[in-house]
Amino acid sequence: MNQKNLNQINSFRRISLITVVAVYFLILVGGIVRSTGSGMGCPDWPKCFGSWVPPTSVDQLPSNYQEIYSKKRVEKNNKFATQLEKLGFQEKAYQIKNDRSILVEQEFNPVKTWIEYVNRLIGAIIGILVLFTVVKSVPLWSLKKSIPILSVFNLFLVLFQAWIGSIVVSTNLLPWMITLHMMLALVIVCILLYVHFQSYKLIYDTQVNTEKPSQLFGILVIGFLLMLVQIVFGTQVREEMDIVAFEFGNLLRGEWVEHLGLVFLVHRSYSILLLVVHLIFFYKVYKYTLRHVSIFKWSQVLIFVILLEILTGVGMAYFGVPAFLQPIHLLLGTLIIGIQFVILLQLYAQRKLNLENAGS
């Protein structure tokens, strides 16, 4: 491989890694938006109160601003509901058209407005970074076509994610839309990690030196799927938490957990199953790999992050749902998915290599 290709690969690896970190930072900021109740700080999208720079005082808004933005959201929601009907989601469309709580317009709060505005600015920066990954991926076409193809696909996915974000706002944080928004963010992260790994393989050896990559791969796939389910449970718990918080007027945080339903109990107990599965995986990694290889180190990090995730969950359950723990809990959950995916990529590459060697 010549020096020019090497430089192009390293340039792509840097921008793709920076973009992954930026997406995780956005997930953290998104958690802060939720924990502070700032999701509707800007009632419109992409502008905020009709301006690219949001107001700092209610005096800068017309006296009937709530009515104005409520009408705009009705128009957008009706269009979205019509699209859902065409796709066969009549029940969801009916919910959007007839749920009057969607149309409740919050009063202007400068702090919440600017928290949401900063969230959008960071999202815009990530869009630019994803565009840069596309630009940097083009020279790699002759080396690995899947890298530029997936990079372009990811750009369209980010644009779609931005549109979904606008629907989240127009539907007044409709719960299932928030869940979809989160799952798409995880897909974007995984695609970025995949193309980064593929570019890494162009230069470096990706062997993980394990005796049974297929067995380890199978166990971690189970852990990965279980974690995805846990994240869905987590979003549902968060939705119940929002309802309880509203009923308590965002006061008496220590009593919120007592009023959560069955989903919270399942989410809490489910974490034990997750920990057990990953401890089994870690034991197998310890048994079948060398101590110095990357997969062993990544497995240590995975167990550490899972334990931190459980501890933050315990902290919220027993210490009155501290607002600062909510975004951390969310970030750790999504980090687990990312770490699992990195290890799966390594194991899959090793399994594929073993099959090729066995067939030769």
Side-chain angles (χ1 to χ4, degrees), residues 206-320:
T206 57
Q207 291 191 56
V208 296
N209 295 315
T210 177
E211 298 176 20
K212 299 187 177 181
S214 295
Q215 183 182 122
L216 294 174
F217 184 83
I219 296 172
L220 193 55
V221 164
I222 294 172
F224 183 82
L225 295 175
L226 289 174
M227 190 62 207
L228 286 176
V229 173
Q230 178 73 324
I231 286 178
V232 173
F233 279 144
T235 59
Q236 293 177 348
V237 171
R238 178 64 202 178
E239 290 157 14
E240 285 192 0
M241 189 82 70
D242 289 343
I243 295 171
V244 172
F246 179 78
E247 292 174 350
F248 277 82
N250 288 312
L251 301 174
L252 303 174
R253 298 178 72 96
E255 298 183 19
W256 292 0
V257 172
E258 299 175 10
H259 292 78
L260 296 176
L262 179 63
V263 175
F264 168 72
L265 297 177
V266 173
H267 181 65
R268 183 178 62 182
S269 302
Y270 194 86
S271 62
I272 299 173
L273 174 62
L274 273 170
L275 180 60
V276 170
V277 169
H278 287 89
L279 284 175
I280 292 173
F281 172 75
F282 181 74
Y283 169 74
K284 295 290 186 179
V285 170
Y286 181 84
K287 183 178 179 180
Y288 295 127
T289 66
L290 301 175
R291 302 291 83 79
H292 65 275
V293 298
S294 63
I295 189 173
F296 180 69
K297 295 175 182 177
W298 275 113
S299 300
Q300 289 177 305
V301 174
L302 177 60
I303 295 297
F304 178 71
V305 176
I306 290 174
L307 290 173
L308 280 181
E309 173 77 338
I310 292 174
L311 286 175
T312 55
V314 170
M316 288 193 293
Y318 292 98
F319 295 98

Side-chain angles (χ1 to χ4, degrees), residues 144 196-206 349 352:
K144 189 76 173 180
H196 179 80
F197 181 75
Q198 291 300 318
S199 64
Y200 179 88
K201 284 176 61 179
L202 292 174
I203 305 176
Y204 301 104
D205 178 18
T206 57
K352 185 177 179 181

Side-chain angles (χ1 to χ4, degrees), residues 49-333:
F49 287 103
S51 175
W52 292 112
V53 178
T56 56
S57 171
V58 71
D59 297 333
Q60 298 172 263
L61 297 172
S63 58
N64 63 336
Y65 71 91
Q66 289 178 303
E67 179 182 349
I68 292 172
Y69 292 108
S70 180
K71 287 182 179 179
K72 289 183 178 180
R73 288 200 290 121
V74 168
E75 294 176 4
K76 188 166 188 175
N77 290 343
N78 287 338
K79 291 180 181 179
F80 180 54
T82 300
Q83 292 172 338
L84 288 176
E85 287 175 338
K86 292 179 180 178
L87 294 172
F89 298 101
Q90 279 78 14
E91 184 178 343
K92 294 296 184 185
Y94 179 84
Q95 179 185 2
I96 291 174
K97 287 183 176 181
N98 294 275
D99 187 352
R100 308 313 299 175
S101 65
I102 289 177
L103 304 179
V104 175
E105 199 69 40
Q106 294 186 8
E107 293 185 4
F108 175 77
N109 182 309
V111 175
K112 292 182 178 181
T113 293
W114 278 86
I115 289 175
E116 170 60 14
Y117 181 66
V118 169
N119 178 47
R120 295 185 184 187
L121 286 179
I122 296 172
I125 292 171
I126 287 173
I128 295 172
L129 288 174
V130 171
L131 179 60
F132 280 165
T133 63
V134 173
V135 173
K136 293 294 184 179
S137 72
V138 173
L140 305 186
W141 176 266
S142 59
L143 300 174
K144 189 76 173 180
K145 291 181 174 58
S146 62
I147 293 177
I149 290 173
L150 285 174
S151 296
V152 171
F153 174 76
N154 213 29
L155 175 61
F156 283 105
L157 194 60
V158 168
L159 294 174
F160 179 67
Q161 173 79 324
W163 177 74
I164 290 294
S166 74
I167 299 299
V168 168
V169 172
S170 70
T171 56
N172 202 355
L173 310 181
L174 195 63
W176 65 272
M177 288 299 302
I178 294 175
T179 301
L180 175 61
H181 199 51
M182 170 56 65
M183 299 309 288
L184 281 174
L186 293 177
V187 173
I188 290 168
V189 166
C190 287
I191 291 176
L192 285 168
L193 289 172
Y194 179 80
V195 294
H196 179 80
F197 181 75
Q198 291 300 318
S199 64
Y200 179 88
K201 284 176 61 179
L202 292 174
I203 305 176
Y204 301 104
D205 178 18
T206 57
Q207 291 191 56
V208 296
N209 295 315
T210 177
E211 298 176 20
K212 299 187 177 181
S214 295
Q215 183 182 122
L216 294 174
F217 184 83
I219 296 172
L220 193 55
V221 164
I222 294 172
F224 183 82
L225 295 175
L226 289 174
M227 190 62 207
L228 286 176
V229 173
Q230 178 73 324
I231 286 178
V232 173
F233 279 144
T235 59
Q236 293 177 348
V237 171
R238 178 64 202 178
E239 290 157 14
E240 285 192 0
M241 189 82 70
D242 289 343
I243 295 171
V244 172
F246 179 78
E247 292 174 350
F248 277 82
N250 288 312
L251 301 174
L252 303 174
R253 298 178 72 96
E255 298 183 19
W256 292 0
V257 172
E258 299 175 10
H259 292 78
L260 296 176
L262 179 63
V263 175
F264 168 72
L265 297 177
V266 173
H267 181 65
R268 183 178 62 182
S269 302
Y270 194 86
S271 62
I272 299 173
L273 174 62
L274 273 170
L275 180 60
V276 170
V277 169
H278 287 89
L279 284 175
I280 292 173
F281 172 75
F282 181 74
Y283 169 74
K284 295 290 186 179
V285 170
Y286 181 84
K287 183 178 179 180
Y288 295 127
T289 66
L290 301 175
R291 302 291 83 79
H292 65 275
V293 298
S294 63
I295 189 173
F296 180 69
K297 295 175 182 177
W298 275 113
S299 300
Q300 289 177 305
V301 174
L302 177 60
I303 295 297
F304 178 71
V305 176
I306 290 174
L307 290 173
L308 280 181
E309 173 77 338
I310 292 174
L311 286 175
T312 55
V314 170
M316 288 193 293
Y318 292 98
F319 295 98
V321 197
F324 76 93
L325 278 182
Q326 291 175 296
I328 295 174
H329 190 68
L330 172 64
L331 176 64
L332 290 173

